[in-house]
């Protein structure tokens, strides 16, 4: 597989042998100058630590690529997180080019030579973009989506795509093109979605970082299901305009970063963020560098815990218990936590969501109108499109008014609280052979996504929301908490996440991969 790079294979064998003697070793160039010891398994390095080691030329990009590819080929067949893989020989050549660039003093950026898999709902030039649909199974992107172009500009080497459900619909990653992605902690369970493949590659350490996107919790739910970090930024913070996109009214979905830890999430956020002339509603202020982030003083942070909205949201037994245990750790370390409730009719919020989501999905109506392409559409998408047929301007106007009222209701809470919190999901990861939970605690779900109602609040308000791991139930299934801050306060939410990470150890509990 790597015939032209046998020298690197030999070096890895030497390193593997050394591991049996020393656990961790210093790579060449470290000497005894106090440099950080690096693990024998390169894939254990966070993105930030790997970036530093590559920049300092303590580790070669070819070595990084080879090690990651070996791990991917070993475990990905079980989990199916990465799809449309680029040939190994091509990737090794690109890694060699990255090494030669460093040798001549040409540093591409903080992701120089790092392997990266792009979510299959985004375009990466030269890679297949199926969007999980048989209609686009052979579609090859001619350009990068804007956030992906920014990642490429920082030196990342694109190795393939991460799996996603068809057009991102449904928080369970399966489709007719690439199949099903299994949970990192148990491949028989759902990875969540739509950034399910992205969350799994992070948890299994198959890539250093991962990009995702979020409309109905697609950055948050899979992060919770796989015990990693997923950040939905303020609306407009990461624009992704294209000739196909509507630029003014479509304000439900956004791209965003995911990470094995908070620092990596922040660094990828800095890469992806920034205004663009092609996105008139994008935020123009530059996103701050990681070195400017300072965790807040814990005793000065007030958290409003909304739980299940006082019983409004049906929730699987154990979810609130896991979240409460995590919040108790925060309280014990000095954070101020109080139960709270927005002054808003939550059934009205759900009806607002249905209206705007149906309207948004009407953009795919040309696929519905063509009998040939309609035959390939999943039932959930057909239901969404049909929900928008005949929708009146008055209905859309009423939904926009309700959405504005919801934003104001949360703003009122931010007069008292710095952070608002909810469980990230209403259920734990479920079996992959279930398309979606039909009931929760005996209550029937009336739509394919009603079981994820807990995430729509952050989306409709356009606020920055981060999923942080909250722990595991007695079956070892992960759960997370979503913490949201005021509009535009992305830095403050991420600084809180740094403080949360400092007083919890959930991110240290990595899955044991199966093959």
């Amino acid at each position: 597989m790597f015939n032209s790079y046998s020298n690197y294979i030999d070096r890895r064998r030497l390193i593997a042998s050394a591991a049996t003697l020393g656990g961790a070793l210093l790579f060449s160039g470290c000497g005894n100058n106090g440099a950080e010891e690096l693990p024998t398994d390169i894939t254990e390095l966070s993105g930030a630590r790997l970036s530093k080691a590559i920049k300092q030329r303590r580790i070669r990009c070819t070595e990084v690529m080879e090690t990651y590819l070996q791990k991917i080929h070993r475990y990905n067949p079980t989990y199916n997180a990465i799809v449309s893989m680029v040939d190994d020989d091509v990737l090794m050549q690109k890694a060699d080019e990255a090494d030669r660039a460093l040798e001549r003093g040409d540093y591409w950026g903080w992701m120089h030579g790092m392997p990266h898999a792009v979510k299959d709902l985004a375009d990466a030039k030269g890679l297949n973009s199926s969007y999980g649909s048989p209609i686009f199974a052979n579609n090859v992107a001619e350009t990068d989506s804007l956030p992906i172009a920014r990642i490429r500009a920082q030196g990342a080497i694109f190795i393939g795509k991460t799996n996603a459900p068809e057009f991102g619909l449904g928080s369970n990653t399966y489709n007719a093109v690439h199949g099903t992605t299994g949970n990192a902690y148990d491949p028989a369970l759902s990875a969540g979605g739509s950034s399910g493949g992205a969350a799994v590659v992070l948890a299994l350490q198959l890539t250093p970082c991962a990009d995702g996107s979020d409309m109905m919790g697609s950055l948050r739910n899979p992060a919770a299901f796989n015990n990693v970090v997923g950040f939905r930024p303020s609306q407009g913070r990461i624009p992704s305009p294209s000739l196909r996109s509507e630029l003014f009214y479509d304000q439900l979905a956004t791209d965003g970063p995911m990470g094995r830890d908070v620092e990596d999430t922040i660094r990828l956020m800095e890469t992806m963020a920034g205004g663009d002339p092609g996105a008139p509603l994008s935020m123009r202020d530059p996103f701050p560098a990681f070195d400017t982030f300072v965790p807040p003083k814990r005793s000065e942070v007030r958290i409003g815990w909304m739980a299940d909205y006082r019983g409004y949201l049906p929730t699987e037994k154990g979810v609130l218990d896991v979240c409460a245990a995590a919040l108790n750790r925060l309280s014990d370390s000095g954070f101020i936590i109080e139960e709270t409730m927005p002054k808003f009719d939550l059934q009205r919020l759900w009806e607002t969501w249905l209206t705007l989501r149906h309207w948004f999905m009407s953009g795919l109506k040309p696929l519905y109108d063509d009998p040939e392409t309609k035959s390939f559409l999943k039932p959930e998408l057909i239901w969404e499109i049909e929900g928008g047929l005949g929708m009146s301007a008055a209905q859309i106007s009423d939904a926009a008014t309700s959405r504005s009222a919801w934003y104001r209701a949360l703003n009122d809470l931010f007069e008292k609280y710095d952070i608002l919190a909810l469980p990230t999901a209403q259920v734990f990861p479920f079996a992959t052979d279930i398309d979606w939970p039909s009931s929760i605690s005996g209550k029937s779900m009336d739509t394919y996504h009603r079981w994820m109602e807990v995430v729509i609040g952050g989306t409709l308000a356009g606020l920055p929301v981060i999923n942080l791991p909250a722990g595991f139930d007695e079956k070892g299934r992960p759960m997370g908490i979503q913490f949201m801050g005021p509009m535009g306060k992305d830095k403050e939410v991420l600084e809180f996440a740094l403080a949360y990470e400092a007083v919890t150890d959930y991110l240290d509990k990595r899955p044991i991969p199966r093959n």
Side-chain angles (χ1 to χ4, degrees):
M1 183 166 53
F2 301 109
N3 292 337
S4 58
Y5 296 92
S6 58
N7 54 322
Y8 302 128
I9 293 178
D10 291 340
R11 186 174 182 219
R12 288 305 304 154
R13 287 171 179 164
L14 288 173
I15 292 171
S17 298
T20 63
L21 299 175
L25 85 159
L26 290 168
F27 283 80
S28 59
C30 301
N32 295 316
N33 59 3
E36 178 191 18
E37 285 191 356
L38 301 178
T40 55
D41 182 356
I42 295 169
T43 68
E44 293 180 2
L45 289 169
S46 68
R49 292 176 64 207
L50 177 62
S51 172
K52 184 177 181 181
I54 289 173
K55 184 178 182 180
Q56 294 175 344
R57 297 176 63 186
R58 297 168 60 196
I59 187 171
R60 295 181 63 84
C61 298
T62 43
E63 186 173 14
V64 172
M65 183 62 71
E66 180 194 336
T67 304
Y68 268 102
L69 288 177
Q70 288 177 344
K71 191 168 187 178
I72 289 168
H73 291 315
R74 181 177 181 182
Y75 296 116
N76 195 56
T78 298
Y79 296 88
N80 193 37
I82 302 177
V83 298
S84 303
M85 279 283 294
V86 177
D87 289 344
D88 291 351
D89 289 343
V90 172
L91 294 174
M92 290 301 296
Q93 290 170 4
K94 290 181 180 294
D96 186 53
E97 291 170 7
D99 282 329
R100 288 188 279 111
L102 286 178
E103 289 169 1
R104 60 177 181 266
D106 183 9
Y107 182 62
W108 299 338
W110 83 276
M111 300 181 79
H112 186 112
M114 290 167 52
H116 186 89
V118 176
K119 183 177 177 179
D120 200 26
L121 298 188
D123 288 342
K125 183 178 180 180
L127 296 185
N128 179 277
S129 285
S130 76
Y131 319 121
S133 169
I135 299 169
F136 297 98
N138 298 314
N139 176 54
V140 176
E142 297 180 356
T143 59
D144 290 334
S145 300
L146 178 60
I148 304 308
R150 291 171 170 174
I151 293 173
R152 190 191 294 273
Q154 286 296 315
I157 298 174
F158 295 155
I159 64 172
K161 308 297 284 288
T162 53
N163 202 21
E166 180 182 329
F167 296 114
L169 298 181
S171 196
N172 188 11
T173 298
Y174 67 92
N175 60 70
V177 181
H178 300 298
T180 302
T181 298
N183 190 286
Y185 288 81
D186 183 348
L189 300 180
S190 171
S194 61
S195 306
V200 172
V201 297
L202 286 176
L204 295 178
Q205 301 177 338
L206 301 184
T207 63
C209 302
D211 64 276
S213 55
D214 186 302
M215 184 163 77
M216 194 176 183
S218 292
L219 280 158
R220 293 165 278 165
N221 169 252
F225 275 16
N226 292 279
N227 198 48
V228 295
V229 180
F231 181 56
R232 179 193 167 97
S234 294
Q235 198 70 43
R237 183 69 73 186
I238 299 180
S240 187
S242 74
L243 295 177
R244 301 188 303 272
S245 62
E246 187 281 314
L247 300 177
F248 290 95
Y249 297 103
D250 175 11
Q251 298 295 307
L252 290 179
T254 180
D255 290 81
M258 306 180 80
R260 302 180 192 175
D261 60 25
V262 177
E263 178 178 353
D264 283 358
T265 306
I266 294 171
R267 292 188 182 277
L268 189 58
M269 177 67 190
E270 182 185 356
T271 296
M272 300 173 71
D276 183 80
L281 301 184
S282 59
M283 293 184 173
R284 301 298 196 241
D285 56 315
F287 195 77
F290 173 76
D291 292 344
T292 67
F293 281 67
V294 179
K297 187 175 180 181
R298 299 168 194 166
S299 61
E300 297 178 355
V301 178
R302 300 183 69 91
I303 301 171
W305 171 235
M306 297 186 287
D308 59 355
Y309 292 136
R310 294 180 181 170
Y312 168 81
L313 294 173
T315 306
E316 183 178 352
K317 182 180 179 181
V319 169
L320 293 177
D321 293 335
V322 169
C323 293
L327 292 172
N328 285 339
R329 297 182 71 166
L330 297 188
S331 180
D332 291 343
S333 67
F335 291 94
I336 301 171
I337 302 173
E338 298 175 353
E339 292 187 7
T340 192
M341 182 73 178
K343 295 180 180 180
F344 199 86
D345 180 353
L346 292 167
Q347 181 58 33
R348 177 189 177 194
L349 188 68
W350 177 250
E351 295 299 328
T352 298
W353 173 253
L354 287 183
T355 298
L356 294 177
R357 185 176 171 98
H358 285 326
W359 180 46
F360 171 80
M361 290 300 170
S362 66
L364 294 173
K365 188 172 179 290
L367 300 178
Y368 174 89
D369 292 336
D370 184 334
E372 183 176 350
T373 54
K374 182 180 179 180
S375 66
F376 290 107
L377 300 180
K378 65 193 296 185
E380 292 84 353
L381 177 53
I382 291 175
W383 175 80
E384 293 279 13
I385 294 172
E386 290 179 344
L389 297 178
M391 187 174 288
S392 68
Q395 286 176 283
I396 298 170
S397 178
D398 287 346
T401 299
S402 294
R403 183 181 187 184
S404 300
W406 169 250
Y407 176 84
R408 296 187 187 101
L410 293 187
N411 246 11
D412 289 343
L413 291 181
F414 285 126
E415 292 294 321
K416 182 176 182 180
Y417 301 106
D418 303 287
I419 296 286
L420 298 176
L422 286 161
T424 302
Q426 293 163 238
V427 298
F428 289 102
F430 50 88
T432 55
D433 59 2
I434 299 173
D435 290 352
W436 45 274
S438 59
S439 66
I440 301 177
S441 299
K443 182 173 183 179
S444 177
M445 300 291 100
D446 56 357
T447 74
Y448 77 99
H449 48 21
R450 189 69 181 250
W451 64 278
M452 283 299 299
E453 187 174 0
V454 70
V455 301
I456 68 172
T459 296
L460 287 173
L463 304 179
V465 193
I466 193 166
N467 169 79
L468 295 172
F472 304 79
D473 72 350
E474 69 279 358
K475 297 179 180 179
R477 298 177 297 176
M479 181 46 59
I481 302 178
Q482 50 180 333
F483 296 96
M484 67 181 76
M487 171 62 74
K489 299 294 184 180
D490 302 67
K491 182 182 181 184
E492 288 80 357
V493 171
L494 290 164
E495 287 177 328
F496 163 78
L498 288 170
Y500 180 99
E501 184 181 40
V503 299
T504 61
D505 61 355
Y506 307 123
L507 286 168
D508 297 333
K509 299 176 182 179
R510 309 302 338 140
I512 300 175
R514 305 179 191 179
N515 59 356

